[in-house]
Amino acid sequence: MPDEAAAAGGVGLAALVALAQAATGFVPARDALRARRSIAVDGAWSSAGPLALAALAAEVDGVGLIALAHPGDLDAWAADIESFAGVRPEIFPAFESWTGVRDTVDATAGRRLQLLQQLRTSRPPRLILAPIAALVQPVPSLASLAARQRIICANDTLDPNEFATWLVERGYRRVDAVEMPGDFSRRGGIIDVYSPDHEHPVRLELFGDEVESLRRFAPDTQRSLGNVAEVGVLAIGDRGLGIGDRTEKTADIRRPTPDTRSPTSDSGHLVDHLPPGSWTALVEPNELKEQAERYRERVDPVGLFSTTGCFQQLLSRPSVTVTSLPQASVETTWSLRVESVERFSGKIDKVRDELDGVAVDERVVIACPSDAEVHRLGEVLAAGKLAATGRLQIVRGYVRAGFRLVEAGVVVLGSHELFHREDPVTAGALQSTPKRRIESRAIDSF
């Protein structure tokens, strides 16, 4: 989301990244991560954790995979990082239930597959957020995806009868109009296919046996979303997509084994799909381990990664360990000089004086979810000392939980904290990345 104050030369939310990068300890940590060595970040209270990772991601190449303990924190972390870095992370979701076999194509399965395909492109996502439950759940292996994908290019020769038979034999359902992943339709020389690893279906227009064009389109409006040179169609098949098929050979990896890479031969871990040069971040590792174990206790763990196996995967890449409390580490450590901010009364007639008391000599940045609130809050605080001395900035954006950057002399707050209002991400006042609803239907052993 844009940050007008930063553009105007003030502190702003985007400019906080530069302040973090100027802090003591950042450069050695950044250089170590660039050199493919793991690092630790401590003192990451409140929304300072997302700020620290946004600062590192801005100067370290590769995809950053950030592991969180609680699924409920995903949207807030995504909004925090977007406010600081200007780029919204992709979210790798967890299946809500686990039976060892996925027998439906739903939004979660589709999103996981789509993200795997994004990682294979020349422009992979910059940052990925994932709950630990999603990371103990396997994904199709690289070899499995490659073996199950049929590539079709413009100007290819394609027998429409053979292709329709291929689709049916590999789990697709013929319908009048495609609506859901796993659907396909055929009308004369036009074949529409909705591969589960793509966000939108593709239309193949043939002249005889020649593919004249390929284009993606919106299934609800039929509006064209642009031509593509090639498309991959993923076979669903009779053995699923390697995301935890329950077979006699599938073992629950309860403790380290010689091969902890994947629970089955057709499945692997998300880390396997990260491009070279990528890195991982483990936010509060002890919490991650605890939540991984709790998740495995709630479900039948057959087909899941063990907690140890999952951590081995995450630590196989250069990693950033993020904690709020100081940690003993032999790795390069960036200790953030961050403090929590005093709680406000929530009363409009007192907030102005409370802010003046909180930041006697510091600058204050307050993030609001809308331009209207920026304007209203500006009017409320205009007569305070902070505004009179030019130390107050009210910007559009989001900060989940306020903090004080001691070295920089800046207090950062979300407007909802001042008045004890519901978090705007939770309340829906800030829209996350739009998600198109996908109905689910049974597909052979997906």
Side-chain angles (χ1 to χ4, degrees), residues 369 398 415-417 419-429:
Y398 173 78
S415 61
H416 60 285
E417 297 178 281
F419 304 107
H420 299 183
R421 293 175 181 163
E422 187 178 3
D423 185 312
V425 166
T426 304

Side-chain angles (χ1 to χ4, degrees), residues 400-417:
R400 175 179 58 86
F403 56 93
R404 175 183 278 107
L405 291 173
V406 177
E407 275 188 274
V410 176
V411 175
V412 184
L413 298 165
S415 61
H416 60 285
E417 297 178 281

Side-chain angles (χ1 to χ4, degrees), residues 68-78 129 400:
L68 301 177
H70 305 284
D73 291 338
L74 289 170
D75 286 340
W77 265 75
L129 289 171
R400 175 179 58 86

Side-chain angles (χ1 to χ4, degrees), residues 157-274:
T157 298
L158 181 71
D159 182 337
N161 293 324
E162 180 274 331
F163 184 51
T165 300
W166 185 90
L167 289 170
V168 171
E169 290 177 347
R170 283 154 182 82
Y172 285 79
R173 182 179 68 170
R174 183 166 183 171
V175 295
D176 292 333
V178 300
E179 297 178 350
M180 296 175 279
D183 285 350
F184 85 97
S185 68
R186 180 183 175 188
R187 302 179 304 283
I190 296 176
I191 301 177
D192 294 341
V193 184
Y194 201 157
S195 184
D197 58 336
H198 292 299
E199 186 176 359
H200 299 99
V202 66
R203 176 161 293 164
L204 291 71
E205 296 183 348
L206 294 95
F207 183 75
D209 287 352
E210 182 181 348
V211 179
E212 282 199 318
S213 67
L214 299 166
R215 64 182 177 88
R216 301 201 183 282
F217 67 95
D220 48 351
T221 65
Q222 298 292 304
R223 182 173 61 89
S224 174
L225 301 176
N227 287 4
V228 293
E230 67 174 41
V231 67
V233 180
L234 195 64
I236 299 167
D238 60 353
R239 292 185 57 208
L241 284 169
I243 52 177
D245 300 338
R246 182 185 292 275
T247 67
E248 291 183 0
K249 294 182 180 179
T250 301
D252 169 23
I253 307 176
R254 298 182 185 274
R255 48 183 67 86
T257 66
D259 179 12
T260 54
R261 291 182 56 79
S262 63
T264 70
S265 59
D266 290 335
S267 60
H269 195 275
L270 175 60
V271 169
D272 297 332
H273 293 259
L274 297 179

Side-chain angles (χ1 to χ4, degrees), residues 65 92 112 115-116 119 128-130 134-135 137-140 268-275 305 313-314 317:
L65 170 61
F92 186 72
R112 286 167 67 95
L115 190 52
L116 296 185
L119 290 169
I128 300 171
L129 289 171
L135 298 174
Q137 296 168 352
V139 300
H269 195 275
L270 175 60
V271 169
D272 297 332
H273 293 259
L274 297 179
F305 279 90
Q313 289 288 325
L314 292 170
R317 301 295 182 103

Side-chain angles (χ1 to χ4, degrees), residues 106-387:
D106 57 15
T108 299
R111 185 67 199 114
R112 286 167 67 95
L113 289 168
Q114 290 160 22
L115 190 52
L116 296 185
Q117 295 293 18
Q118 282 181 262
L119 290 169
R120 301 176 65 186
T121 68
S122 60
R123 299 183 65 183
R126 190 73 185 82
L127 292 168
I128 300 171
L129 289 171
I132 193 63
L135 298 174
V136 298
Q137 296 168 352
V139 300
S141 67
L142 288 163
S144 174
L145 280 182
R148 290 175 174 274
Q149 193 164 61
R150 179 166 178 173
I151 304 297
I152 299 171
C153 302
N155 302 317
D156 273 357
T157 298
L158 181 71
D159 182 337
N161 293 324
E162 180 274 331
F163 184 51
T165 300
W166 185 90
L167 289 170
V168 171
E169 290 177 347
R170 283 154 182 82
Y172 285 79
R173 182 179 68 170
R174 183 166 183 171
V175 295
D176 292 333
V178 300
E179 297 178 350
M180 296 175 279
D183 285 350
F184 85 97
S185 68
R186 180 183 175 188
R187 302 179 304 283
I190 296 176
I191 301 177
D192 294 341
V193 184
Y194 201 157
S195 184
D197 58 336
H198 292 299
E199 186 176 359
H200 299 99
V202 66
R203 176 161 293 164
L204 291 71
E205 296 183 348
L206 294 95
F207 183 75
D209 287 352
E210 182 181 348
V211 179
E212 282 199 318
S213 67
L214 299 166
R215 64 182 177 88
R216 301 201 183 282
F217 67 95
D220 48 351
T221 65
Q222 298 292 304
R223 182 173 61 89
S224 174
L225 301 176
N227 287 4
V228 293
E230 67 174 41
V231 67
V233 180
L234 195 64
I236 299 167
D238 60 353
R239 292 185 57 208
L241 284 169
I243 52 177
D245 300 338
R246 182 185 292 275
T247 67
E248 291 183 0
K249 294 182 180 179
T250 301
D252 169 23
I253 307 176
R254 298 182 185 274
R255 48 183 67 86
T257 66
D259 179 12
T260 54
R261 291 182 56 79
S262 63
T264 70
S265 59
D266 290 335
S267 60
H269 195 275
L270 175 60
V271 169
D272 297 332
H273 293 259
L274 297 179
S278 298
W279 48 279
T280 62
L282 287 72
V283 179
E284 303 293 352
N286 290 337
E287 261 191 85
L288 289 174
K289 291 178 181 178
E290 180 182 347
Q291 290 303 314
E293 286 300 313
R294 286 187 178 182
Y295 176 75
R296 286 169 50 81
E297 289 170 1
R298 289 199 306 269
V299 301
D300 181 349
V302 172
L304 295 176
F305 279 90
S306 67
T307 301
T308 299
C310 178
F311 267 70
Q312 286 177 348
Q313 289 288 325
L314 292 170
L315 296 175
S316 67
R317 301 295 182 103
S319 63
V320 183
T321 301
V322 182
T323 60
S324 53
L325 296 174
Q327 53 183 320
S329 176
V330 296
E331 299 162 343
T332 301
T333 300
W334 176 19
S335 294
L336 304 178
R337 294 189 62 194
V338 170
E339 295 177 353
S340 59
V341 180
E342 296 84 345
R343 184 175 174 84
F344 294 87
S345 67
K347 298 178 180 179
I348 293 179
D349 57 340
K350 293 184 177 181
V351 163
R352 186 175 61 201
D353 292 337
E354 288 171 344
L355 274 172
D356 289 340
V358 164
V360 178
D361 299 312
E362 297 165 308
R363 293 170 290 173
V364 174
V365 180
I366 303 175
C368 299
S370 66
D371 291 331
E373 185 161 332
V374 169
H375 178 72
R376 288 195 300 270
L377 191 57
E379 291 179 339
V380 170
L381 302 179
K385 294 178 182 177
L386 283 171

